Amino acid sequence: DTGVSQDPRHKITKRGQNVTFRCDPISEHNRLYWYRQTLGQGPEFLTYFQNEAQLEKSRLLSDRFSAERPKGSFSTLEIQRTEQGDSAMYLCASTSRGEAGGAYFGPGTRLLVL
Amino acid sequence: GEDVEQSLFLSVREGDSSVINCTYTDSSSTYLYWYKQEPGAGLQLLTYIFSNMDMKQDQRLTVLLNKKDKHLSLRIADTQTGDSAIYFCAEISDSGYALNFGKGTSLLVTP
């Protein structure tokens, strides 16, 4: 068990470009979360999957953001037409437990939009 | 709950106790959590407390919960330099699917 992994760890892009991040949860964890963390803030919830079903989306997740978990294993988060305000750390977490707080977090993908 | 409040900074000397305070908003949250984040790393679950408990002790960590005042605290005994990190308090969101985090308390432990 290698923990939650995320790729890439860092991404620099120009405004207007599309970016995609990947999260590999701990194997057999059926619940997967995406959070966003900006400097000096706590993580903010973006979206939640149970298996392949996306059950909850935050109002923070504008229509430029899309997340998938096609086979109930890894997940991708895509941001289209990036804006400077999208610069943040994007954190993925997974768990097999029932409550949201029992999740294991990955190291995050740090995005910088120039 | 929308806003979980924490003081932003705490400095203690090595060997002293640290107390990090948090005020949460959602009285229906069944669990309350403390996470630790070291520089450049993801979040690590430190401990949690069930809402019907007043106190939970786990080695050097003591969590106190005052439901009436919606106040949660984390006490770290014999604080070490390796405890320097940002500590986040979190409650279960209204939807039950996610966590609402505070802004974090940056703990600096000096020798």
Side-chain angles (χ1 to χ4, degrees), chain A:
Chain A
D1 185 348
T2 58
V4 178
S5 61
Q6 294 187 243
D7 184 68
R9 293 291 307 277
H10 304 273
K11 178 72 178 177
I12 300 174
T13 191
K14 292 184 179 179
R15 189 162 47 105
Q17 298 294 304
N18 299 342
V19 294
T20 300
F21 309 140
R22 178 180 169 121
C23 170
D24 285 273
I26 294 171
S27 58
E28 298 179 358
H29 277 188
N30 62 336
R31 298 166 189 259
L32 186 146
Y33 306 82
W34 285 98
Y35 287 82
R36 180 175 70 184
Q37 186 179 19
T38 53
L39 200 62
Q41 303 293 320
E44 296 172 298
F45 169 72
L46 292 178
T47 190
Y48 160 65
F49 290 86
Q50 185 167 326
N51 299 311
E52 64 275 10
Q54 189 174 21
L55 297 185
E56 180 82 1
K57 288 196 293 186
S58 163
R59 63 181 183 276
L60 292 176
L61 212 67
S62 75
D63 56 7
R64 296 186 298 105
F65 287 70
S66 61
E68 293 183 342
R69 195 183 183 198
K71 297 182 180 178
S73 56
F74 73 92
S75 175
T76 58
L77 177 68
E78 181 184 15
I79 309 174
Q80 296 182 324
R81 304 181 304 281
T82 52
E83 302 173 356
Q84 288 181 324
D86 297 330
S87 296
M89 175 79 86
Y90 290 85
L91 295 165
C92 176
S94 72
T95 185
S96 57
R97 293 173 57 173
E99 85 280 358
Y104 293 84
F105 280 80
T109 294
R110 185 171 293 282
L111 172 66
L112 177 61
V113 181
L114 301 176

Side-chain angles (χ1 to χ4, degrees), chain B:
Chain B
E2 291 295 331
D3 286 285
V4 176
E5 300 284 345
Q6 298 179 239
S7 53
L8 295 183
F9 186 75
L10 176 65
S11 179
V12 299
R13 289 191 181 275
E14 191 173 19
D16 288 349
S17 292
S18 308
V19 179
I20 302 171
N21 295 302
C22 167
T23 303
Y24 62 96
T25 59
D26 189 354
S27 59
S28 65
S29 188
T30 50
Y31 292 93
L32 293 151
Y33 302 88
W34 284 103
Y35 282 83
K36 177 182 180 182
Q37 187 174 37
E38 296 181 80
L43 276 76
Q44 173 194 355
L45 177 62
L46 271 184
T47 188
Y48 62 92
I49 188 167
F50 191 53
S51 59
N52 69 353
M53 298 170 65
D54 297 325
M55 184 183 83
K56 178 180 178 182
Q57 189 149 2
D58 184 0
Q59 300 182 335
R60 292 190 298 121
L61 305 178
T62 302
V63 179
L64 295 177
L65 175 60
N66 180 331
K67 286 192 70 175
K68 175 177 172 290
D69 295 336
K70 296 183 184 175
H71 185 265
L72 184 72
S73 67
L74 174 70
R75 178 177 181 270
I76 306 173
D78 187 25
T79 314
Q80 303 298 306
T81 54
D83 294 324
S84 293
I86 302 176
Y87 291 80
F88 293 95
C89 166
E91 63 180 4
I92 301 285
S93 68
D94 290 341
S95 70
Y97 288 125
L99 292 174
N100 290 331
F101 286 88
K103 292 185 178 182
T105 298
S106 182
L107 174 65
L108 176 65
V109 183
T110 56

